[in-house]
């Protein structure tokens, strides 16, 4: 009995390829006996196109109906008999068959009566010589896999015949088998529907075959003819639907005793897969993995039960029968290796060569110099002095992160400074002795800076000598040297991070790794120098605006820019909220760390202080202390003001080179870098006017060095570009070769750069040798910041307090309460220095009562705050107040003098009661309150995800990357067939084709199926 074929075409509304598909069906050498068109939606244009061919049946379903449901509707509407001689040819509006496709499919099933499903070779729509899909299989774990790669078709896959599954588009299926198996599973609406149907056909004892000489063009990436997936579908949605389909099939195919185990493993595996998506630099797909797991676990019980019962009803063969058709682990590894090789770039970037073109040599030379300059710090337990204090234990570092109790003054509970998180990470490097990490930072700061400067400079020039110049200029930048001299650890970290921020910023639009690093480094810079928060925010807004202004096709890259502020936000939001509630929002911009009055600066030739400060900052110096340069300028007979002018003049060559790099015609450095540098300088100037803390009665401005580091980086890159332009102006080659007059002139640019670097090194030399000569503010010290007697007792009694009274020049006194072995850097808080947190009235009355008797019960107050010692110190010009306080304390019968040293006079309170806890040490820790746990959890999740994204997992990404949708032919392909250009139509052509009347001449030869 001859076979009867019903073509069932699923037409989506507004389908761009529908008319071509209908034309292809009418041109078949063996026409279908019936044409059933099922329209998704009710578009009049689509209806007109369909009615033009006068199909046997024109049915309609909802626009979001699945492909399987639409086919079922077509079968029922046409009243097709489910016999062995009746066949269904499933097509979508974007599946245009070649003229002999149906004839060859029928020949294949006639030659093999056991075949009930036959699939053609799907080719790419705009490039018919390239494969789109040709057979499907599964890995041993049930992951769907395309058998053919999307590459040039040379018959390399034609040897395949029996396969596990074929794609839905162009599938020829026996009507009896379709009815027996119940069609496509409704629980697989968009992905793996054809795969599941073919697996069930195999289990029912039927065969599924490929027909290599039958071809169908395909333009749909997934679920042909359905709106559940399409070109506008996001990657996250595709991942979710694909994972839901895979989990559904796993629970349906598994043996019944294993189903509960599979169900219980869904969520843990989803967490691991979400982390894997992050490692693959697809953060948007990580929530999709979790959502797919939750959907399958919570809503698929009935669907899974129906699917399992359907398989049990129809199964005639065991799972072992289809095992040979699955992909083996060896094949899985082989395909992944091919994908990894195809994903590897053909030409590696050869412009860096850090280890062979001077980068490593520069770092080693600067490192050797650093060991000499900072030799007194080698082996030191800690560094103290200036703005620097030792770090506490590893437990103390992490206890002071997030939200918790702060034993400062009278004690308070609140958010920690974001800088504490930086200290915790830094101290964890040497967790057995956290202060050693700070010592290591001081020893390695110069070589790290040289490496950062070299790498950042390599972004702008290929000339090796100029890269060395960039590394030296960044290592000897005044901002870094001053920060090292004065113990500003935040300034050191900002300076070291700035070049890597620049490198990440150049790649942020194309790399999730760069975006993650930029987010982390931005949070680091903001935590170390909060005054830069507004500048970073403005830069982010500008980047978003530029991203929105680009072409529509490139706007997807903005997804990597939008989340950049999230790490910094989760660090600062608790502090911002607390300061806002206390009316001191400006306090968020305060520098973290101890409050120390800056050294008095000299005035240049009688200039006003404001103008002098601007000139000082413009020359790259965050602070000025003329005594540091007396040894350098005294032989020249220069005074304090003239010495400043001389030192600043050493930076003029760098400034001139920067101007050349900025304004060289048609070859200037990117203007965004110049603008960002100007922004850094402006914020540095504004920082000197921002006074949010005070040392007693002396207001302390915010340190401007962090902003100057950004400005110095911009000037450095502009100067290197200027040198590069000077060298290029002589038309000189860059590679190796013999010396020529041109090369000698090219070497002049390097000589100019090295001269500029030596001039900067000479300007900072008095500070560079400060640690070696003992003139620097920082010096090697111990981890205790209190007198040795108090430290020894505090080690045994951590809650032991020492009240420090410092006489002020205005006759007042500044009090500070420390405990245990003294203050450590992580225990400080800007809430105390800016908003007075912990400064209780009782503590202030106690300090006042000690120096000026008030009749209060001092013994009770000393015991209440567990104060066992009082240290009296004298500030500059406070001799009168110091003498008055010494007399009051000496006459107090509660106190006895212990010692008198250069640090002050130490008194002991002999009647201290050491029993019973005190309130400030029994408050909730950062893990002892709901808000503390919430803050830590939020910060941990954000930084954990960002850190995973920042991991350089390029090889892993290549290993896990799926095959591309379109792949160009390999270089060694044994074919010279050119790849056809995609068909491109103008909007007018598309509209004219869509609106062509059904009776137009082009349609006159179309037959009728009525």
């Amino acid at each position: 009995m001859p076979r009867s074929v019903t073509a069932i075409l699923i037409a989506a509304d507004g389908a761009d390829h529908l008319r071509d598909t209908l034309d292809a069906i009418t041109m078949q050498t063996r026409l279908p006996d019936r044409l059933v068109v099922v329209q998704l939606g009710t578009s009049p244009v689509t209806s007109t196109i369909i009615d033009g061919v006068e199909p046997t049946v024109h049915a309609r379903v909802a626009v979001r109906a699945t492909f399987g449901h639409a086919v079922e509707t077509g079968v029922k509407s046409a009243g097709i008999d489910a016999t062995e001689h009746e066949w269904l040819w499933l097509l979508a509006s974007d599946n245009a068959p070649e003229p002999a496709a149906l004839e060859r499919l029928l020949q294949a099933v006639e030659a093999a009566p056991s075949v009930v499903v036959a699939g053609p070779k799907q080719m790419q729509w705009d490039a018919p010589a390239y494969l789109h899909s040709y057979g499907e299989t599964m890995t041993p774990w049930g992951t769907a896999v395309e058998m053919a790669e999307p590459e040039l078709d040379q018959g390399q896959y034609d040897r395949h015949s029996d396969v596990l599954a074929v794609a839905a588009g162009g599938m020829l299926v026996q009507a009896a088998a379709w009815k027996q198996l119940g069609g496509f599973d409704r629980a697989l609406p968009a992905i793996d529907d054809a795969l599941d149907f073919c697996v069930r056909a195999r289990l029912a004892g039927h065969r599924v075959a490929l027909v290599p000489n039958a071809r169908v063009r395909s333009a749909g990436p997934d679920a042909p003819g359905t709106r559940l997936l399409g070109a506008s579908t996001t990657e996250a949605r595709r991942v979710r639907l694909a994972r839901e389909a895979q989990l559904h099939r796993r629970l349906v195919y598994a043996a019944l005793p294993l189903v509960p185990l599979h169900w219980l493993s869904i969520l843990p595996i989803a967490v691991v897969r979400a982390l894997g998506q992050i490692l693959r630099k697809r953060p948007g797909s990580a929530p999709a993995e979790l959502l797919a797991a939750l959907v399958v676990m919570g809503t698929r019980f009935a669907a899974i039960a129906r699917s399992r019962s359907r398989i049990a009803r129809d199964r005639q063969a065991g799972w072992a029968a289809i095992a040979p058709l699955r992909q083996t682990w060896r094949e899985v590894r082989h395909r992944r290796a091919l994908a990894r090789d195809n994903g590897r770039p053909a030409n590696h970037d050869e412009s860096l060569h850090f280890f062979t073109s001077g980068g490593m040599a520069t770092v080693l030379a600067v490192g050797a110099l650093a060991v000499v300059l900072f030799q007194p710090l080698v082996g030191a337990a800690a560094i103290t002095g200036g703005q620097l204090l030792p770090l506490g234990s590893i437990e103390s570092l992490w206890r002071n992160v997030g939200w918790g109790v702060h034993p400062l003054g009278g004690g308070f509970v609140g958010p920690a400074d974001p800088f504490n998180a930086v200290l915790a990470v830094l101290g964890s490097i040497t967790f057995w002795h956290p202060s050693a990490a700070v010592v290591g930072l001081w020893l390695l700061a110069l070589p790290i800076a040289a490496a950062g400067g070299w790498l950042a400079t390599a972004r702008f020039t290929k000339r090796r000598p100029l890269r060395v110049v960039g590394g030296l200029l960044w290592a000897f930048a005044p901002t870094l040297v001053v920060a090292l001299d004065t113990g500003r650890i935040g300034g050191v970290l900002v300076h070291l991070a700035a070049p890597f921020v620049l490198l990440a910023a150049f790649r942020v639009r194309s790399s999730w790794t760069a975006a993650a690093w930029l987010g982390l480094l931005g949070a680091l810079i903001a935590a170390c120098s909060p005054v830069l928060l507004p500048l970073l925010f403005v830069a982010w807004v500008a980047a978003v605006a530029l991203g929105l202004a680009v072409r529509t096709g490139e706007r997807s890259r903005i997804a990597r820019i939008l989340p950049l502020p999230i790490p910094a936000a989760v660090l600062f939001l608790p502090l911002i909220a607390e300061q806002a509630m206390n009316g001191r929002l400006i306090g968020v911009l305060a520098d973290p760390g101890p409050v120390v009055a800056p050294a008095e600066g000299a005035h240049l030739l009688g200039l006003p202080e404001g103008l002098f400060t601007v000139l000082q900052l413009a020359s790259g110096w965050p602070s000025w202390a003329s005594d540091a340069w007396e040894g350098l300028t005294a032989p020249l007979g220069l005074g304090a003001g003239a010495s400043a002018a001389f030192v600043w003049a050493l930076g003029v060559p760098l400034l001139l080179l920067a101007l050349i790099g900025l304004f060289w015609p048609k070859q200037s450095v990117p203007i965004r870098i110049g603008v960002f540098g100007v922004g850094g300088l402006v914020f540095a100037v504004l920082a000197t006017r921002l006074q949010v803390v005070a040392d007693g009665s002396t207001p302390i401005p915010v340190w401007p060095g962090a902003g100057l580091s950004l400005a110095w980086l911009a000037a450095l890159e502009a100067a290197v570009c200027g040198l590069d332009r000077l060298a290029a102006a002589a038309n000189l080659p860059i590679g190796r070769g013999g010396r020529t007059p041109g090369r000698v002139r090219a070497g002049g640019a390097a000589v100019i750069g090295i001269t500029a670097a030596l001039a900067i090194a000479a300007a900072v030399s008095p500070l560079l040798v400060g640690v070696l000569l003992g003139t620097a503010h920082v010096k090697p010290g111990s981890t205790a910041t209190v007198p040795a007697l108090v430290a020894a007792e505090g080690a045994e009694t951590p809650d032991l307090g020492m009240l420090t009274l410092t006489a002020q020049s205005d006759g007042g006194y500044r009090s500070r309460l420390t405990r245990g072995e003294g203050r450590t850097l992580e225990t400080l808080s800007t809430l105390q220095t800016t908003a007075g947190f912990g400064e209780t009235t009782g503590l202030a009355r106690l300090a006042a009562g000690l120096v000026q008797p008030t009749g209060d019960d001092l013994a009770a107050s000393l015991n209440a705050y567990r104060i066992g010692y009082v240290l009296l110190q004298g500030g500059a010009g406070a001799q009168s107040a110091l003498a008055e306080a010494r007399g009051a304390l000496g006459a107090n019968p509660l106190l006895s003098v212990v010692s008198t040293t250069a640090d002050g006079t130490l008194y002991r309170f002999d009647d201290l009661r050491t029993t019973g806890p005190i309130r400030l040490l029994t408050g909730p820790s950062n893990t002892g309150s709901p808000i503390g746990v919430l803050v830590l959890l939020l910060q941990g999740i954000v930084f954990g995800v960002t850190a995973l994204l920042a991991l350089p997992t390029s090889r892993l990404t290549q290993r896990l990357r799926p095959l591309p949708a379109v792949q160009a032919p390999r270089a060694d392909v044994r074919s010279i067939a050119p790849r056809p250009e995609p068909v491109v139509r103008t909007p007018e052509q598309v509209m004219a084709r869509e609106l062509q009347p059904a009776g137009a001449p082009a349609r006159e030869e179309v037959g009728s199926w009525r």
Side-chain angles (χ1 to χ4, degrees):
M1 182 176 178
R3 287 171 169 78
S4 175
V5 179
T6 300
I8 301 180
L9 176 64
I10 312 303
D13 276 357
D16 297 332
H17 310 89
L18 177 59
R19 187 180 293 277
D20 291 336
T21 300
L22 288 171
D23 288 344
I25 295 174
T26 62
M27 295 176 185
Q28 292 297 299
T29 56
R30 198 289 193 190
L31 285 173
D33 299 282
R34 288 174 296 276
L35 175 62
V36 177
V37 181
V38 182
Q39 181 181 352
L40 301 178
T42 58
S43 169
V45 175
T46 304
S47 298
T48 301
I49 296 174
I50 295 172
D51 293 339
V53 299
E54 299 183 359
T56 306
V57 176
H58 181 184
R60 291 182 175 84
V61 292
V63 69
R64 293 186 63 83
T66 66
F67 187 75
H69 174 62
V71 172
E72 286 288 349
T73 301
V75 171
K76 293 178 181 178
S77 301
I80 300 172
D81 295 330
T83 66
E84 295 181 357
H85 301 284
E86 186 69 40
W87 292 80
L88 307 177
W89 193 23
L90 310 185
L91 294 167
S93 55
D94 50 7
N95 296 138
E98 291 187 354
L102 180 57
E103 180 181 1
R104 291 168 179 171
L105 287 171
L106 285 173
Q107 290 174 352
V109 298
E110 288 173 355
S114 59
V115 174
V116 300
V117 178
K121 183 182 291 183
Q122 287 193 0
M123 313 305 292
Q124 297 183 25
W125 186 278
D126 293 331
Y130 285 77
L131 289 168
H132 176 74
S133 175
Y134 189 54
E136 297 178 1
T137 184
M138 294 188 300
T139 66
W141 282 357
T143 303
V145 179
E146 289 282 350
M147 294 180 59
E149 297 183 12
E151 59 186 348
L152 183 67
D153 179 27
Q154 302 177 95
Q156 62 268 45
Y157 298 105
D158 289 359
R159 67 184 184 276
H160 296 302
S161 177
D162 277 34
V163 291
L164 183 61
V166 298
M171 173 192 292
L172 184 66
V173 56
Q174 191 181 73
W178 178 269
K179 181 178 180 181
Q180 174 194 357
L181 300 173
F184 290 165
D185 192 340
R186 293 283 187 93
L188 299 172
I191 294 177
D192 291 353
D193 47 1
L195 171 64
D196 173 75
F197 177 80
C198 293
V199 167
R200 289 187 284 118
R202 281 283 182 180
L203 292 175
H206 305 300
R207 290 177 58 195
V208 179
L210 290 170
V211 183
N213 57 356
R215 297 188 174 204
V216 172
R217 286 193 299 160
S218 177
D222 296 288
T226 177
R227 287 295 184 89
L228 293 179
L229 282 179
S232 61
T233 305
T234 63
E235 181 186 6
R237 177 171 171 79
R238 291 179 182 273
V239 169
R240 179 175 67 81
L241 292 175
R243 184 56 178 166
E244 286 181 13
Q246 182 182 358
L247 291 174
H248 174 84
R249 290 188 295 103
R250 179 173 297 174
L251 293 174
V252 170
Y253 298 164
L256 184 60
L258 297 179
V259 172
L261 296 179
H262 281 300
W263 186 85
L264 291 173
S265 67
I266 287 177
L267 194 56
I269 293 176
V271 174
V272 176
R273 289 177 61 91
L275 295 177
Q277 293 287 3
I278 295 173
L279 286 173
R280 294 169 67 184
K281 313 311 177 211
R282 297 178 180 177
S285 299
E289 293 281 356
L290 300 175
L291 181 58
L294 295 175
V295 168
V296 174
M297 291 183 70
T299 65
R300 291 293 183 89
F301 296 106
I304 292 170
R306 286 194 301 268
S307 300
R308 290 184 64 88
S309 64
R310 181 183 300 168
I311 290 179
R313 180 193 65 199
D314 301 327
R315 189 169 69 178
Q316 300 295 325
W319 287 99
I322 68 171
L325 299 174
R326 287 194 175 192
Q327 193 175 64
T328 64
W329 283 120
R330 181 178 180 179
E331 293 171 335
V332 171
R333 290 190 295 270
H334 177 66
R335 286 175 63 89
R336 288 177 176 175
L338 289 177
R340 181 167 65 251
D341 292 339
N342 292 335
R344 185 177 293 119
N347 296 319
H348 298 280
D349 184 9
E350 300 180 356
S351 63
L352 286 180
H353 293 301
F354 179 79
F355 291 94
T356 60
S357 63
M360 180 54 67
T362 303
V363 172
L364 292 177
V366 174
L369 177 64
V371 171
V372 175
L373 294 176
F374 296 104
Q375 189 276 332
L377 301 181
V378 177
I383 304 177
T384 58
Q387 304 292 124
L388 204 54
L389 291 173
L391 298 182
S393 64
I394 187 67
E395 189 272 337
S396 175
L397 288 174
W398 289 105
R399 187 178 62 242
N400 285 280
V401 171
W403 185 291
V405 63
H406 299 271
L408 300 172
F412 64 93
V413 175
D417 289 341
F419 186 57
N420 286 11
V422 177
L423 296 177
V425 174
L426 178 64
S428 297
I429 298 175
T430 56
F431 58 89
W432 61 93
H433 185 63
S435 291
V438 180
V439 178
L441 176 65
W442 248 245
L443 294 174
L444 297 176
L446 291 180
I448 292 175
W454 193 97
L455 291 171
T457 302
R459 182 64 176 75
F460 296 91
T461 179
K462 294 183 178 181
R463 304 178 192 278
R464 299 175 182 179
L466 301 188
R467 296 177 177 184
V468 175
V469 170
L472 295 177
L473 284 172
W474 188 247
F476 298 140
T479 49
L480 176 61
V481 176
V482 171
L484 292 171
D485 180 82
T486 57
R488 293 192 177 269
I489 184 173
V492 172
L493 292 174
V494 168
H495 191 87
L496 298 183
F500 300 99
V501 169
L502 180 65
L503 293 173
F506 275 110
R507 300 185 60 238
V508 67
R509 294 183 183 274
S510 59
S511 169
W512 273 110
T513 300
W517 273 113
L518 190 57
L520 292 175
L521 292 173
L524 169 67
I525 289 177
C528 294
S529 182
V531 73
L532 294 181
L533 270 175
L535 178 61
L536 296 176
F537 178 76
V538 170
W540 173 71
V541 171
V544 172
L546 289 174
L548 293 175
V550 300
R551 297 190 300 271
T552 304
E554 299 180 1
R555 288 185 182 178
S556 59
R557 298 181 178 183
I558 201 174
R560 298 182 179 91
I561 301 176
L562 288 175
L564 291 181
I566 293 179
V570 298
L571 280 181
F572 275 89
L573 281 179
L575 182 63
I576 291 174
E578 191 71 29
Q579 291 280 30
M581 288 189 295
N582 288 274
R584 291 284 296 176
L585 187 58
I586 194 67
V588 174
L589 304 182
D591 289 327
V595 177
V596 178
E600 293 292 334
H603 285 205
L604 178 60
L605 302 177
L607 292 176
E609 181 179 358
L611 180 58
F612 176 84
T613 300
V614 172
L615 291 176
Q616 164 199 308
L617 296 174
S619 63
W621 292 92
S623 60
W624 184 258
S626 59
D627 55 346
W629 283 268
E630 287 181 357
L632 182 66
T633 58
L636 302 177
L638 300 178
S643 65
F646 171 75
V647 173
W648 295 351
L650 294 177
V652 170
L654 181 66
L655 175 62
L656 295 177
L657 291 172
L659 292 176
I660 293 175
L662 283 173
F663 300 109
W664 190 282
K666 298 183 180 180
Q667 297 184 11
S668 62
V669 70
I671 191 63
R672 293 188 294 272
I673 297 178
V675 172
F676 196 69
V678 172
L681 179 60
V682 170
F683 271 82
V685 175
L686 294 177
T688 61
R689 304 301 178 189
L690 183 63
Q691 299 173 344
V692 293
V693 299
D695 182 22
S697 58
T698 305
I700 309 297
V702 175
W703 195 61
L708 279 187
S709 286
L710 304 182
W712 186 268
L713 180 61
L716 166 63
E717 303 306 344
V720 170
C721 287
L723 288 169
D724 193 71
R725 305 303 181 242
L726 291 176
N731 296 321
L732 305 170
I734 300 173
R736 298 179 180 179
R739 294 176 59 85
T740 64
R743 291 186 179 277
V744 174
R745 292 197 301 271
V751 171
I752 295 174
I754 293 175
T755 302
L758 292 177
I760 296 299
V764 300
S765 58
L767 292 181
L768 275 176
V769 300
V771 174
L772 185 63
L773 301 180
T775 59
H777 292 81
V778 297
K779 56 185 180 297
S782 66
T783 55
T785 56
V786 295
L789 177 63
V790 181
E793 191 172 342
E796 300 294 332
T797 313
D799 60 349
L800 176 67
M802 184 187 77
L803 182 65
T804 301
L805 299 175
T806 304
Q808 304 293 301
S809 58
D810 59 357
Y813 300 89
R814 178 167 56 85
S815 63
R816 183 176 67 239
L817 178 60
T818 57
R819 298 193 178 277
E821 297 181 81
R823 294 191 303 166
T824 52
L825 203 55
E826 80 279 357
T827 59
L828 304 183
S829 172
T830 54
L831 286 174
Q832 184 188 42
T833 58
T834 61
F837 278 51
E839 302 295 342
T840 63
T841 304
L843 188 60
R845 288 184 60 86
L846 172 60
L850 288 173
V851 295
Q852 293 179 350
T854 58
D856 293 341
D857 187 354
L858 298 181
S861 298
L862 289 170
N863 275 299
Y865 289 101
R866 195 68 58 79
I867 297 175
Y869 292 89
V870 177
L871 178 64
L872 177 63
Q873 297 177 329
Q879 298 303 319
S880 176
L882 178 62
E884 180 182 355
R886 186 178 290 117
L889 294 175
N892 193 323
L894 299 175
L895 305 175
S896 58
V897 178
V898 175
S899 64
T900 300
T901 65
D903 292 332
T905 304
L906 182 65
Y907 301 85
R908 184 202 302 272
F909 174 49
D910 297 315
D911 194 24
L912 179 65
R913 297 189 295 272
T914 59
T915 59
I918 58 176
R919 178 185 60 83
L920 65 90
L921 294 181
T922 58
S925 66
N926 53 1
T927 58
S929 64
I931 188 173
V933 172
L934 179 62
V935 170
L936 285 180
L937 184 62
L938 181 61
Q939 293 178 349
I941 291 175
V942 169
F943 279 91
V945 171
T946 308
L948 288 176
L949 280 174
L951 288 177
T953 54
S954 59
R955 290 184 64 85
L956 177 63
T957 303
Q958 292 167 1
R959 186 179 300 116
L960 299 179
R961 183 184 296 129
L963 292 174
V966 177
Q967 182 174 319
R970 299 175 183 173
D972 59 347
V973 171
R974 295 185 298 274
S975 172
I976 59 174
R979 180 173 180 172
E981 293 294 329
V983 178
V984 179
R985 296 190 180 98
T986 65
E988 292 78 12
Q989 291 172 326
V990 173
M991 182 62 68
R993 188 173 179 83
E994 290 281 329
L995 298 180
Q996 183 180 3
R1003 311 297 300 170
E1004 288 179 356
E1005 2 180 286
V1006 176
S1008 171
W1009 280 271
R1010 289 190 182 277

